[in-house]
Amino acid sequence: MSIWDRIGEFISRASASALSGVAGMVEAVRTVFEGDADLRRRVAFSVAMIALSAKMAKADGVVTQDEIRAFREIFDIPPEEAHNVARLYDLAKADVAGFETYARRMAGLCGSGHQNCAMLEDILDGLFHIAKADGMLHEREGRFLQRVAEIFRIGEQHYQSILARHLDLGDADPYVVLGIERGRPFEDVRKHYRTLVAHNHPDRLIARGVPEEFIKIATTRIAAINAAYELIERSARAA
């Protein structure tokens, strides 16, 4: 049984129960898949991405073909399972609960007080990928993403590094991209860089529950990290 079969089965069961909208479904992921941690992570990531991208589209007021294409770059959905994704997407858009409720439930799946849960950054990365697909980040999308980051307890410096990876900010500060203070010894920068590369290795992401398609986005993340480090390294050598 594929992940999409399981999600479809979960949606049908949850819809027939007394759960309150998709936010209730997000919370139910914890208990329904309690016996299979790997499947729980994969379902949680998929449900969060679908639901929050629907809420972001509602906040922005329009869904472009570029955003639909970007969504499909994250998820390789079999044609026979597309109706399950569409059903969850439409449920999320129609749900009276605000996106903040969804984000809080997702943060709760990472455990109480879990600062910067890795999967939450992956979700935010996916939302950025969709939001920027039409060539720009609209003001409402920016406010949406920043608020989600706050709920996910992703600090401002960390958020700015994610933002810098995704957007062309002109002469972007490579230290911001790496999320490390300017003026730190180069050896500290190198250690931090190596930690980032290890943290974002495809095997690590798959272990966190992200779909294999997400690795395409992760390579862009790694490319930005590498470019920032190389720029700092060249400056250090020239000093």
Side-chain angles (χ1 to χ4, degrees):
M1 183 177 288
S2 74
I3 178 94
W4 299 110
D5 287 323
R6 298 303 298 270
I7 289 174
E9 181 182 278
F10 172 67
I11 292 170
S12 296
R13 288 172 56 189
S15 298
S17 70
L19 293 177
S20 177
V22 182
M25 293 185 189
V26 172
E27 182 64 24
V29 169
R30 186 198 307 274
T31 54
V32 172
F33 300 101
E34 187 175 10
D36 190 333
D38 179 63
L39 181 60
R40 184 177 67 244
R41 285 193 296 269
R42 293 169 64 203
V43 171
F45 180 89
S46 300
V47 169
M49 280 301 310
I50 295 166
L52 285 175
S53 62
K55 285 298 187 184
M56 184 167 66
K58 188 173 182 178
D60 185 42
V62 62
V63 180
T64 69
Q65 288 300 311
D66 288 328
E67 289 171 340
I68 294 172
R69 173 188 53 77
F71 183 87
R72 289 174 176 165
E73 287 175 354
I74 300 175
F75 296 109
D76 183 15
I77 304 166
E80 65 273 16
E81 299 297 336
H83 69 284
N84 286 326
V85 177
R87 185 179 179 189
L88 180 56
Y89 189 92
D90 290 342
L91 281 170
K93 283 191 71 175
D95 196 347
V96 295
F99 75 91
E100 292 179 332
T101 299
Y102 286 60
R104 290 191 186 98
R105 295 290 175 87
M106 279 312 307
L109 288 179
C110 280
S112 177
H114 194 146
Q115 185 87 13
N116 291 337
C117 169
M119 183 187 286
L120 298 181
E121 180 177 353
D122 296 333
I123 292 169
L124 192 62
D125 244 351
L127 292 172
F128 261 110
H129 178 71
I130 294 168
K132 70 176 185 180
D134 59 358
M136 64 183 297
L137 182 69
H138 299 277
E139 183 179 353
R140 276 188 254 181
E141 290 173 328
R143 290 199 300 267
F144 177 96
L145 291 165
Q146 189 155 25
R147 180 58 184 144
V148 169
E150 290 172 358
I151 294 170
F152 284 177
R153 298 180 65 189
I154 292 175
E156 180 62 22
Q157 182 180 6
H158 192 175
Y159 176 78
Q160 289 300 324
S161 70
I162 297 171
L163 177 67
R165 291 200 306 257
H166 282 278
L167 301 180
D168 181 5
L169 301 179
D171 296 326
D173 188 338
Y175 289 89
V176 173
V177 175
L178 294 185
I180 191 170
E181 297 86 355
R182 176 177 288 276
R184 292 280 292 274
F186 181 69
E187 186 57 35
D188 289 353
V189 175
R190 179 187 287 119
K191 289 179 181 178
H192 183 70
Y193 162 74
R194 289 174 175 170
T195 299
L196 286 177
V197 170
H199 176 76
N200 291 289
H201 189 279
D203 289 345
R204 287 280 188 92
L205 270 68
I206 291 173
R208 291 202 292 266
V210 303
E212 292 185 7
E213 294 81 17
F214 191 84
I215 304 306
K216 300 171 186 175
I217 302 172
T219 57
T220 302
R221 180 193 293 180
I222 287 289
I225 291 170
N226 285 339
Y229 175 74
E230 288 168 6
L231 185 59
I232 295 173
E233 185 179 40
R234 286 199 299 270
S235 297
R237 288 176 177 174

